[in-house]
Amino acid sequence: MIADKKKTRPGGEFSAASMADITFLLLLFFLVTTNIDVDTGIGMVLPEYIPEDERIEQPLSKDRLVAILVNENGDVLLNNEIIAIPQIKDLLKDRIRSKIELPKNKKLVISIKTDRETNYNIFIQTLDQVELAFNEVREEYATSKWGKKVVDLTEEEFEELKEKVWKTVSFAEPESIKK
């Protein structure tokens, strides 16, 4: 007769000593491999600083100025007329085209003024429409003059394009605008 004997082995205990090392390695792995989105804001190029004694003030005529106001209700006023945001681009393109052959100090100036309570989304949409207007006019000019897209221009051609379709956008201090 064969006797059933269970052999009991020594040990068999769970060692938790390496758990801290494994946890640390997992934490390090996730820290290194995770991408964290950082809000970078709106990329804009600020004008070059000119000392106060070297500044030349020039009066701005009404035909050079386009005033865009955004009130707290989200209404967009272009030269004191309420318009829809998508209309901004088309209305500006004609004005930009009319100033292409003029010297730099006669080009169009766009002033954007908002109310303190204006929704950021509406302001950004307005700013996007202004950018689109300039970009589309630049693209039209590059195509008609050189037969190329803006991205295919040489550095000299691009500098000439920037001079012809000069972009000046002014941001006025927010205030209470009711209309």
Side-chain angles (χ1 to χ4, degrees), residues 20-81:
D21 294 337
I22 292 171
T23 304
F24 177 75
L25 286 174
L26 285 172
L27 180 64
L28 186 64
F29 173 77
F30 286 115
L31 284 175
V32 170
T33 59
T34 302
N35 290 331
I36 299 172
D37 284 336
V38 178
D39 191 11
T40 56
I42 299 172
M44 300 184 83
V45 178
L46 296 176
E48 180 181 337
Y49 175 75
I50 299 172
E52 197 166 323
D53 56 332
E54 295 177 17
R55 294 181 194 165
I56 301 169
E57 290 192 24
Q58 294 179 342
L60 193 61
S61 63
K62 282 188 172 186
D63 66 320
R64 289 186 56 206
L65 180 67
V66 175
I68 299 175
L69 305 173
V70 184
N71 67 14
E72 67 184 27
N73 300 326
D75 298 328
V76 177
L77 293 89
L78 192 132
N79 292 335
N80 294 325
E81 292 181 26

Side-chain angles (χ1 to χ4, degrees), residues 127-141:
L127 189 59
D128 285 346
Q129 290 294 312
V130 172
E131 289 288 326
L132 276 173
F134 278 100
N135 289 340
E136 287 186 12
V137 171
R138 283 182 175 166
E139 198 68 50
E140 290 170 9
Y141 187 81

Side-chain angles (χ1 to χ4, degrees), residues 84-129:
I85 291 176
Q87 292 178 309
I88 295 172
K89 179 183 74 176
D90 296 327
L91 293 171
L92 286 181
K93 282 171 56 176
D94 292 335
R95 301 277 309 268
I96 296 167
R97 280 188 207 117
S98 68
K99 307 283 184 199
I100 284 179
E101 296 304 325
L102 296 176
K104 197 171 167 181
N105 62 354
K106 304 276 185 197
K107 301 279 186 190
L108 197 65
V109 175
I110 297 171
S111 172
I112 300 175
K113 188 180 242 182
T114 61
D115 187 276
R116 292 194 184 278
E117 303 296 323
T118 298
N119 185 332
Y120 282 119
N121 190 25
I122 293 171
F123 170 71
I124 298 298
Q125 288 177 15
T126 303
L127 189 59
D128 285 346
Q129 290 294 312

